[in-house]
């Protein structure tokens, strides 16, 4: 689990990779999920599957743009299918996904309520909508 997690939009993989050491907050619009303590890569796959109706976990479309280093920081690109589905999702659908995701993260020992989970997904969806108007991509920065 990561202590520091931030979802952000950047114009390129190189630009996103450049924030690995310090995080995106000073440079890019972001949605901060720090101190929730969850596995961001697992969450991204779960959200993608829940939004798309997939039942088989598939990590193949998680693409690292800045691999993990000694301090535990890394940056990965969010799957295009997830971004597309987030852009199209209505608030009610995002809340349903949050409710469906919650049991998995609670089982891992994360303390999060449905309101926080839904707000997180709504924030990422808004970030995705804004990024699409600038042709930016969505990324996730994590650090221990």
């Amino acid at each position: 689990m990561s202590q520091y997690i931030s979802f952000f939009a950047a114009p390129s993989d190189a630009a996103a990779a450049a924030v690995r050491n310090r995080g995106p907050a000073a440079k890019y619009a972001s949605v901060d999920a720090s101190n929730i303590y969850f596995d961001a890569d697992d969450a991204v796959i779960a959200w993608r599957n829940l939004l798309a109706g997939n039942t088989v976990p598939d990590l193949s479309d998680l693409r690292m743009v800045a691999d993990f280093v000694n301090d535990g920081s890394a940056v990965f690109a969010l799957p295009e299918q997830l971004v597309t589905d987030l852009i199209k999702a209505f608030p009610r659908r995002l809340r349903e996904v949050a409710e469906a995701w919650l049991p998995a993260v609670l089982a891992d020992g994360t303390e999060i309520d449905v309101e926080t989970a839904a707000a997180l997904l709504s924030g990422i969806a808004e970030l995705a909508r804004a990024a699409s108007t600038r042709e930016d991509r969505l990324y996730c920065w994590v650090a221990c």
Side-chain angles (χ1 to χ4, degrees), residues 36 38 43 46-47 50 94-121:
I36 298 176
F38 61 94
W47 298 337
L50 289 164
L94 293 171
R95 184 174 180 88
E96 291 169 356
V97 168
E99 289 171 350
W101 172 61
L102 215 51
V105 291
L106 292 175
D108 284 343
T110 298
E111 293 182 19
I112 184 173
D113 58 39
V114 71
E115 297 304 323
T116 302
L120 174 61
L121 278 169

Side-chain angles (χ1 to χ4, degrees), residues 7 31 43-44 46-52 78-91 93-95 97-98 117-130 132 138-139:
F7 296 90
V31 174
V44 164
W47 298 337
R48 183 205 59 205
N49 289 346
L50 289 164
L51 279 166
L78 271 62
E80 285 301 317
Q81 180 183 3
L82 172 61
V83 175
T84 299
D85 289 344
L86 284 169
I87 289 169
K88 294 190 275 185
F90 290 102
R93 180 68 180 129
L94 293 171
R95 184 174 180 88
V97 168
L120 174 61
L121 278 169
S122 292
I124 298 168
E126 283 301 315
L127 186 66
R129 290 180 192 109
S132 71
L138 285 193
Y139 299 90

